[in-house]
Amino acid sequence: LDECRIIGCEADGSGGAIYAKGAKVDMLDCTLTGNKARDGGAVYAVNGSVVTISRCTIGGKEAGEANTADGPLQHDGDGGGIYVGLDCKLTLANNGEVIGNKAKNGGGISVYGTVEIKDTSKILNNEATESGGGIYSGKVLTVSDSAEIKGNKATGKGGGVYNTSTAKFHLGGGTIGGNTAAKGSGVYVKAFQPLVGGGGGKMTMSGSAKVEVDNDVYLEEAGPVSTDAHITVTKALNETPAARLTPGKYDTDIRSEE
């Protein structure tokens, strides 16, 4: 898709503008605004789809431009802008923007596959009525280069990013800031649940990654069947400070490990 505009479409099911099933979708200089579906307000990808979005705008700044995921059922409302299903991959590159979208979870993007956000791409001013104002991640999320996750809002947890117990989030560059939530204004990392599996509940940082001082990274405390969420620095951080951490439980035995 090259220089296309898909505006004001609505699906009774998933994918207000685009429904990709086992497909390869390349989008360049496209605009998707004002679309609506139960999941994936603008884009819904399943069955191993590979989606690349470059120099595109998903949503918008003006009234009526938000893509919206909403529906009558309990599990409706995933991914206001984009829904990335199991075994699918999304790459947002070259100043691609996911902006001003709305959903129950994942106002901008819901991740159940693999998502990479790079170059100067932006996740801006999206809203979730529950968790993950910018991004709700249940699998693998990587943010790098000069990407931005800013101005997003969640009524519940994870204003910028909500990282579930099955998810891994690597912030290798870029900036998270200006987001709001009841807990974890920047990032909420849920405790790992071994019975669920997936090796998640983890966040890593490296290089030029930065969570601005107006945002925090909330590390959820372990419950009866879970272990504490944690963050790991995998390579020297360039920014000082690089992040403000809020542990769900403060431990008097705090150690630094090489």
Side-chain angles (χ1 to χ4, degrees):
L1 301 175
D2 193 354
E3 297 184 358
C4 71
R5 300 178 71 201
I6 305 178
I7 300 172
C9 297
E10 185 171 346
D12 290 334
S14 302
I18 296 173
Y19 184 102
K21 185 175 181 180
K24 185 176 186 295
V25 181
D26 293 321
M27 299 172 59
L28 178 65
D29 294 323
C30 295
T31 302
L32 277 60
T33 64
N35 303 289
K36 184 177 180 180
R38 291 189 176 187
D39 295 305
V43 180
Y44 185 85
V46 288
N47 286 34
S49 294
V50 178
V51 180
T52 303
I53 298 176
S54 299
R55 299 203 311 256
C56 296
T57 299
I58 310 298
K61 300 177 182 178
E62 305 300 327
E65 290 187 338
N67 299 292
T68 305
D70 190 21
L73 301 180
Q74 180 181 354
H75 297 294
D76 289 342
D78 233 350
I82 306 170
Y83 178 101
V84 183
L86 188 66
D87 296 328
C88 295
K89 182 177 181 180
L90 166 70
T91 302
L92 184 68
N94 299 322
N95 203 35
E97 290 187 334
V98 179
I99 179 170
N101 303 287
K102 298 179 179 180
K104 181 188 293 182
N105 290 302
I109 305 173
S110 280
V111 182
Y112 298 99
T114 300
V115 169
E116 182 180 10
I117 300 169
K118 62 182 184 177
D119 303 324
T120 54
S121 296
K122 298 175 179 64
I123 310 296
L124 304 174
N125 304 329
N126 302 282
E127 185 174 345
T129 56
E130 292 189 4
S131 298
I135 302 171
Y136 182 100
S137 181
K139 197 64 175 178
V140 179
L141 171 65
T142 301
V143 176
S144 62
D145 302 322
S146 298
E148 296 181 357
I149 301 176
K150 292 187 173 182
N152 303 284
K153 178 182 179 181
T155 303
K157 302 170 182 177
V161 177
Y162 180 85
N163 194 75
T164 73
S165 62
T166 59
K168 298 177 182 178
F169 172 33
H170 179 59
L171 185 61
T175 306
I176 297 175
N179 306 286
T180 58
K183 279 187 178 181
S185 55
V187 183
Y188 187 100
V189 184
K190 189 169 177 59
F192 173 52
Q193 297 177 319
L195 295 179
V196 176
K202 299 177 182 177
M203 177 179 174
T204 56
M205 292 182 69
S206 65
S208 60
K210 182 177 179 65
V211 180
E212 295 181 339
V213 294
D214 64 350
N215 273 191
D216 71 328
V217 177
Y218 187 93
L219 303 173
E220 187 180 77
E221 178 186 355
V225 292
S226 61
T227 58
D228 291 334
H230 63 273
I231 184 169
T232 303
V233 175
T234 58
K235 187 178 179 181
L237 293 165
N238 303 333
E239 301 292 333
T240 305
R244 177 168 60 90
L245 307 182
T246 305
K249 177 184 179 182
Y250 286 89
D251 194 333
T252 56
D253 181 19
I254 298 175
R255 297 181 298 270
S256 176
E257 297 183 3
E258 295 295 324

